[in-house]
Amino acid sequence: MIIDDEILIFHALRYSDDQLIVEGLARNYGRVSFVVRISHAPRAKVRHVIFQPMAVLEVQWEEKPRAKLMRPIAARVSQPWSSLHTSPIKAAITLFLAEFLLQVCRHEQSGELFFDYLLHSLTWLDTAEEGFANFHLLFLMRLAQFLGIAPNTSDTGLPFFDLMAAEFVSRAPAHAYYIYGDEARAFEQLLRMNFSTMHLFQLTRTQRNRILELILTYYRLHIPSLPELKSWEVLREIFT
């Protein structure tokens, strides 16, 4: 059966002199992996150069139930980006989010609602000229609801946030995975923000990196298989 679907690319790795291994998320099909032939022919139906992190492509392939790697029959850019891959700051954010999504998105994370969240978020970042320093923080906080690990927001006025229980509590839990004070308030504010208002949340680079560290700790508590992310170190150095 021939499948035609929109795909958000997470990762492309050179496998041999003439092949790439590509991983991504299809709007209707879920997680997909391809082997893409490297070709420099100007009229090739599948140009390997378009398979880059966070590219949105329309890909056609033949479904083979026992095959782990599919071979695309045709591919084209579905959503051209104007700045995600050319702005150094946006490119660092994009690579970080692509690596993160590669690790946390499983096959069951499919469907238009989830895919549209990713596409809408990236479109907002691509068109933003300023005020996007907190984008990756808000993106990760909102992503949690699609992964089934969203924090409970019913008691946000309480002083402690239990990272393991994913809720605000009145007293410090018996374990070490909790935050309070300014850090708990930062989590509370992130849960109430959207992309158009997040610029009002003024943070220093040190504060932003600390909040990102806490968000990643939260994810690792709820998704234990999440490894250390190589692109995090690059992201830590950007912004002022």
Side-chain angles (χ1 to χ4, degrees):
M1 181 173 68
I2 302 299
I3 305 293
D4 194 327
D5 208 351
E6 195 171 25
I7 297 175
L8 177 63
I9 304 299
F10 295 153
H11 181 67
L13 176 68
R14 193 156 188 148
Y15 177 67
S16 64
D17 289 342
D18 63 348
Q19 293 185 119
L20 295 175
I21 300 297
V22 175
E23 296 182 76
L25 184 77
R27 176 186 291 275
N28 300 300
Y29 198 80
R31 276 295 288 264
V32 289
S33 299
F34 295 103
V35 56
V36 178
R37 183 172 176 269
I38 296 174
S39 172
H40 299 284
R43 295 185 179 180
K45 288 187 177 181
V46 179
R47 293 180 295 120
H48 69 279
V49 294
I50 67 175
F51 290 85
Q52 55 181 310
M54 291 311 204
V56 184
L57 310 178
E58 187 77 28
V59 180
Q60 187 179 83
W61 72 95
E62 183 178 358
E63 184 181 24
K64 296 182 179 180
R66 295 185 180 180
K68 292 183 179 180
L69 294 173
M70 308 297 179
R71 288 186 177 272
I73 301 169
R76 66 174 184 85
V77 175
S78 173
Q79 172 68 60
W81 299 128
S82 62
S83 64
L84 284 190
H85 297 118
T86 56
S87 161
I89 293 177
K90 291 183 181 181
I93 295 173
T94 297
L95 286 175
F96 169 76
L97 295 180
E99 184 183 8
F100 185 88
L101 290 168
L102 174 68
Q103 299 298 334
V104 303
C105 289
R106 300 175 297 276
H107 190 276
E108 58 267 27
Q109 264 86 56
S110 60
E112 291 193 7
L113 188 62
F114 180 51
F115 194 92
D116 284 346
Y117 167 71
L118 301 180
L119 191 57
H120 167 77
S121 300
L122 293 172
T123 301
W124 188 94
L125 179 61
D126 184 58
T127 57
E129 296 182 357
E130 58 183 14
F132 56 83
N134 297 324
F135 174 85
H136 54 298
L137 305 179
L138 182 56
F139 177 91
L140 293 182
M141 290 295 278
R142 293 198 161 198
L143 182 73
Q145 72 184 45
F146 294 96
L147 303 178
I149 58 171
N152 183 343
T153 59
S154 59
D155 294 309
T156 53
L158 297 178
F160 297 88
F161 181 74
D162 185 331
L163 293 168
M164 291 187 70
E167 62 182 1
F168 288 88
V169 293
S170 59
R171 62 183 64 185
H175 55 77
Y177 296 106
Y178 68 90
I179 55 177
Y180 64 97
D182 290 343
E183 292 180 348
R185 298 286 69 79
F187 256 54
E188 179 185 347
Q189 287 179 302
L190 279 171
L191 291 168
R192 291 189 284 108
M193 283 183 188
N194 56 51
F195 292 138
S196 62
T197 62
M198 66 182 179
H199 69 280
L200 301 173
F201 190 26
Q202 299 295 321
L203 294 172
T204 65
R205 183 168 67 181
T206 299
Q207 291 171 325
R208 190 175 292 111
N209 285 338
R210 173 57 179 163
I211 293 173
L212 178 57
E213 181 181 0
L214 291 171
I215 292 174
L216 291 176
T217 297
Y218 177 84
Y219 268 94
R220 289 193 182 97
L221 288 171
H222 297 276
I223 306 177
S225 60
L226 181 64
E228 292 292 329
L229 303 177
K230 297 178 182 179
S231 56
W232 183 29
E233 289 303 318
V234 176
L235 194 64
R236 287 169 60 88
E237 299 303 318
I238 67 174
F239 301 118
T240 57

